[in-house]
Amino acid sequence: MNIESLRKIMDDKRKSSSENLTLGKLDSKLNLFQDNEKFTLSNGRFLNGDFDSYRRYYEDIYFGVGIEDKKINTISQLKKMILDAYDQAIMIGYKGGEYEIDVNTLIWVAYYGSCGEMFTDIQKINGTITLIIKKEK
């Protein structure tokens, strides 16, 4: 077995056991909500509208976060980010390489160039739509 085959096996195992939502699962879950409904992040941060290859796992995508509210806070804006990612189709890894963006791409939230947290779910909690963010174990 060569190194690429071994890496693929390890990547597949990581993805199959991951708690992260994929772009496809998030897209499907967003249809449970009205486009004009607002959401919050469970970690108290705000989406800034950026997305790119995630720093730790280049084949995964991160949605950029910050402490300043850039008003990226409605379901329709989140749907647009997903569509923009699909339209882009390819990400350049943090240190190079091309990675396909598709329905199976795992999602993280992070500051550019930093490892971040897992985007694991979207739920309505006490009347507020919340993007559930968790630290990686």
Side-chain angles (χ1 to χ4, degrees), residues 56-69:
R56 184 166 182 192
Y57 305 112
Y58 303 156
E59 68 273 15
D60 297 351
I61 197 168
Y62 83 90
F63 289 168
V65 294
I67 56 173
E68 184 180 327
D69 187 356

Side-chain angles (χ1 to χ4, degrees), residues 50-136:
D50 296 340
F51 63 86
D52 208 340
S53 172
Y54 178 57
R55 174 70 173 91
R56 184 166 182 192
Y57 305 112
Y58 303 156
E59 68 273 15
D60 297 351
I61 197 168
Y62 83 90
F63 289 168
V65 294
I67 56 173
E68 184 180 327
D69 187 356
K70 301 277 188 176
K71 305 296 183 199
I72 307 295
N73 59 9
T74 65
I75 296 300
S76 64
Q77 289 169 313
L78 194 48
K79 285 180 177 179
K80 183 175 179 338
M81 283 180 66
I82 293 169
L83 288 174
D84 288 347
Y86 287 148
D87 286 346
Q88 182 174 312
I90 299 289
M91 302 178 286
I92 303 301
Y94 191 78
K95 291 186 177 178
E98 291 186 350
Y99 299 91
E100 185 176 341
I101 300 170
D102 63 23
V103 296
N104 297 310
T105 302
L106 297 176
I107 310 169
W108 299 80
V109 295
Y111 295 97
Y112 174 77
S114 298
C115 291
E117 297 171 302
M118 301 181 296
F119 185 159
T120 61
D121 204 358
I122 181 167
Q123 302 174 2
K124 192 170 258 190
I125 302 172
N126 298 324
T128 302
I129 299 170
T130 305
L131 308 184
I132 308 299
I133 311 302
K134 294 170 68 176
K135 293 191 183 301
E136 186 177 22

Side-chain angles (χ1 to χ4, degrees), residues 3-51:
I3 191 80
E4 283 304 312
S5 298
L6 184 58
R7 189 179 80 72
K8 175 147 179 37
I9 290 169
M10 291 173 61
D11 280 348
D12 290 346
K13 181 165 178 54
R14 178 185 72 81
K15 285 185 174 190
S16 68
S17 64
S18 176
E19 293 180 59
N20 302 59
L21 279 181
T22 63
L23 286 174
K25 286 181 185 173
L26 174 60
D27 198 15
S28 178
K29 285 179 173 262
L30 290 177
N31 291 322
L32 301 172
F33 307 105
Q34 299 297 314
D35 283 350
N36 64 344
E37 287 186 275
K38 293 190 175 193
F39 63 83
T40 62
L41 275 64
S42 65
N43 65 359
R45 301 290 185 222
F46 301 96
L47 292 182
N48 64 19
D50 296 340
F51 63 86

